[in-house]
Amino acid sequence: MKTLKAKILHPKKKILKISDLTYNQHYHKYNVKLDQGVDKITDIMENPIEVFKHKISKTPRMGVGGKPYVEKLYSVHIGGQRVTRAVQLGYTHIEAIVNEW
């Protein structure tokens, strides 16, 4: 387990698996340059990301073209570029502040 940690301490902070997150794939898909200092992250970030926790439906849902829709437990609200950077650096987990939806 390789975790990207944050300097800031917060009572709601938890360690989450990146594979459990829904986040914007734009930076992966189009190889866009990360900005706002995110490209300088190597082993620690200033603030944890913020995510919303969802309830996963027990009924299977279908997406576009009849493909099964895969629901994830968390969606990234703030810090999508940091998640992308963590994936680029080979991290499997990331520190996050979890907000209930």
Side-chain angles (χ1 to χ4, degrees):
M1 177 168 103
K2 187 175 176 185
T3 305
L4 181 57
K5 297 187 176 273
K7 289 181 186 177
I8 303 296
L9 298 175
H10 193 280
K12 287 182 161 183
K13 190 166 73 169
K14 294 182 179 180
I15 296 175
L16 303 176
K17 289 168 79 174
I18 292 175
S19 62
D20 288 344
L21 300 175
T22 298
Y23 62 98
N24 189 342
Q25 300 289 322
H26 175 78
Y27 299 98
H28 288 299
K29 189 174 181 180
Y30 298 106
N31 199 21
V32 177
K33 183 181 183 313
L34 300 173
D35 58 3
Q36 301 172 357
V38 174
D39 55 333
K40 294 175 181 57
I41 293 174
T42 55
D43 60 349
I44 195 163
M45 55 186 170
E46 285 294 320
N47 298 304
I49 63 169
E50 292 186 32
V51 300
F52 285 119
K53 185 175 182 178
H54 303 281
K55 292 181 180 161
I56 297 178
S57 173
K58 294 183 190 306
T59 307
R61 295 172 37 187
M62 301 307 277
V64 176
K67 293 183 182 177
Y69 179 75
V70 179
E71 295 181 83
K72 296 206 177 179
L73 189 55
Y74 302 100
S75 62
V76 176
H77 176 63
I78 298 174
Q81 287 191 25
R82 285 175 269 170
V83 176
T84 300
R85 183 64 177 157
V87 170
Q88 288 175 347
L89 295 172
Y91 287 94
T92 58
H93 294 71
I94 192 165
E95 287 190 335
I97 297 171
V98 178
N99 298 307
E100 297 293 326
W101 185 254

